[in-house]
Structures are given as structure tokens and as C-alpha cells.
Amino acid sequence: KAGVTQTPRYLIKTRGQQVTLSCSPISGHRSVSWYQQTPGQGLQFLFEYFSETQRNKGNFPGRFSGRQFSNSRSEMNVSTLELGDSALYLCASSLAAASSSVLTFGAGSRLTVL
Amino acid sequence: AQRVTQPEKLLSVFKGAPVELKCNYSYSGSPELFWYVQYSRQRLQLLLRHISRESIKGFTADLNKGETSFHLKKPFAQEEDSAMYYCALRGSGYSTLTFGKGTMLLVSP
């Protein structure tokens, strides 16, 4: 069974640009969550999607957005990039958006903003 | 609001020594607690969850509701245990997984 796949793995952008990151969950998983990982703040929750609906959103500015498609694949977009957006963006999938579900993480997309 | 606190950024021990990684949480209801581990150049992965009450790689963790803690323990540390450990909490219902900031465990020979 293939794991959670994130693309691209690495990317470099400049301030003001926008970026789109993609996540393909494990086959059969319908819930996708996104996290931002930085050395100072650790893992911070961005969004959670289930069946194309955003179920929950973290405390991030409106420049951060996401969506989920009918095949459960998800994308997140960051517009007007700032230096502080440099981070590892992790996607995780689970069978359902329930408290008993276990998250399986992807390898992440490492974004560097210059 | 839910919060997870891991008071130690770094824990350094010698091989064979006991290990305790501390985790305290704040949540008004009945949470589900997890420990995730990230080995060097590997993905973040689940180590154990409190409802399973199992031992994984010699690690155990007991949920203490009175002290709102979920400390991770291992009686004899091994060099391969060196990694970043994250404690995480999920509240009841459709709630998010809240992580602590992590503790780096270094086991020296």
C-alpha cells in the first residue's frame, strides 16, 4: 500500500510569490490534514479536510488556503509569500475525521522563501 | 482550548539508562493521547496511543488524568532510540491533533 505522497519535495520561492503544494493520501483514506513544521514552533495545525469539506482550520492568516478533491487528494496554497513561511509542510491522512483515527504522515514539502 | 507541553527540548542519556520524556496537557474533556516519533531523515510516525495500552519498541506511556500527564518511558535506552519525540492530543469528536513542540532524545554509547 503506497504511503502519503507529497509533491514537490523541495521548492524555493521569493517573497510575494505564491505556491501550491499537493498531497495524495493513502488509498481509501478520506481525511487529510496539513501541518506546518518549524524548528521554533514545532508542528502547527493548518487545515483538516474530509469528503471535500474543510472540517477545521488552524490559526493562520487567510493567505493560507486549501482544498480537497473528490478523489481525496488535497492541495494547499500560500499566497504573497513571506520569509516566515519557510517551513516543512506536512500532510497526513486518516480513514475518517474522527478522534479515534490515526494520522499517517507524508515526507513533507520543504519550502524556502528568499 | 487544548494545549500540549513538553518541558524538555533536549534529553541526553547514556545507553542502558532509563528514559522518561515528559508530556503535560490541558483539555477540559476526555482526550486521546499519542506519541509520535521522527527518526533522522524519516517521516513522522506513530509510536503509541494511550487507548492501545501497548508497549512499542520497549516504550510505554500511561495517561494520568489527575496530573494531566502522558509521560513516555523506557527502562533501558538504546542508541537507535535517538530521535525527535512529539506528544499529541486529540479531543473528543472531530477535533484537530495538537502537538507539543517536541523533545530531542540523544542516546550516547
Side-chain angles (χ1 to χ4, degrees):
Chain A
K1 207 175 197 183
V4 178
T5 304
Q6 292 188 246
T7 57
R9 289 292 315 279
Y10 303 91
L11 63 166
I12 300 173
K13 294 284 187 178
T14 56
R15 281 181 298 174
Q17 286 187 310
Q18 67 92 27
V19 66
T20 299
L21 308 178
S22 179
C23 172
S24 293
I26 290 173
S27 178
H29 283 194
R30 296 171 62 191
S31 177
V32 172
S33 300
W34 288 89
Y35 290 81
Q36 182 194 64
Q37 186 178 28
T38 57
Q41 297 300 317
L43 284 136
Q44 292 187 285
F45 171 74
L46 281 158
F47 334 94
E48 180 182 11
Y49 289 91
F50 179 75
S51 293
E52 302 179 67
T53 301
Q54 188 179 87
R55 301 301 296 260
N56 223 328
K57 188 177 190 302
N59 189 26
F60 277 82
R63 301 184 296 108
F64 291 80
S65 62
R67 58 179 175 168
Q68 187 180 34
F69 302 95
S70 57
N71 61 357
S72 294
R73 190 177 69 86
S74 177
E75 288 181 349
M76 66 163 284
N77 183 278
V78 188
S79 62
T80 320
L81 284 166
E82 300 176 359
L83 295 179
D85 297 333
S86 295
L88 181 67
Y89 290 87
L90 294 174
C91 169
S93 74
S94 60
L95 279 170
S99 59
S100 59
S101 295
V102 173
L103 298 185
T104 301
F105 283 85
S109 292
R110 184 166 296 282
L111 170 65
T112 301
V113 183
L114 303 176
Chain B
Q2 50 196 55
R3 185 183 302 155
V4 177
T5 303
Q6 294 180 250
E8 303 137 329
K9 286 188 177 180
L10 172 66
L11 183 62
S12 185
V13 302
F14 288 105
K15 177 182 173 181
V19 169
E20 183 178 50
L21 299 167
K22 295 189 184 332
C23 172
N24 290 91
Y25 67 89
S26 173
Y27 183 70
S28 56
S30 293
E32 185 170 6
L33 277 298
F34 304 81
W35 277 99
Y36 279 80
V37 60
Q38 191 167 30
Y39 300 102
S40 179
R41 290 186 291 276
Q42 292 190 29
R43 302 181 182 202
L44 191 64
Q45 57 187 282
L46 177 69
L47 180 62
L48 53 81
R49 52 197 298 197
H50 90 272
I51 63 170
S52 301
R53 302 185 67 81
E54 57 192 345
S55 173
I56 304 293
K57 298 184 179 183
F59 285 97
T60 59
D62 290 316
L63 178 59
N64 185 323
K65 292 187 177 181
E67 296 183 357
T68 59
S69 68
F70 187 57
H71 303 327
L72 183 67
K73 299 177 184 179
K74 184 170 183 177
F76 308 103
Q78 302 299 315
E79 290 179 69
E80 55 265 31
D81 295 329
S82 295
M84 192 73 171
Y85 291 80
Y86 292 94
C87 181
L89 175 154
R90 194 163 200 166
S92 57
Y94 298 98
S95 67
T96 61
L97 198 60
T98 299
F99 286 85
K101 293 192 176 182
T103 298
M104 172 67 75
L105 173 65
L106 290 178
V107 182
S108 305

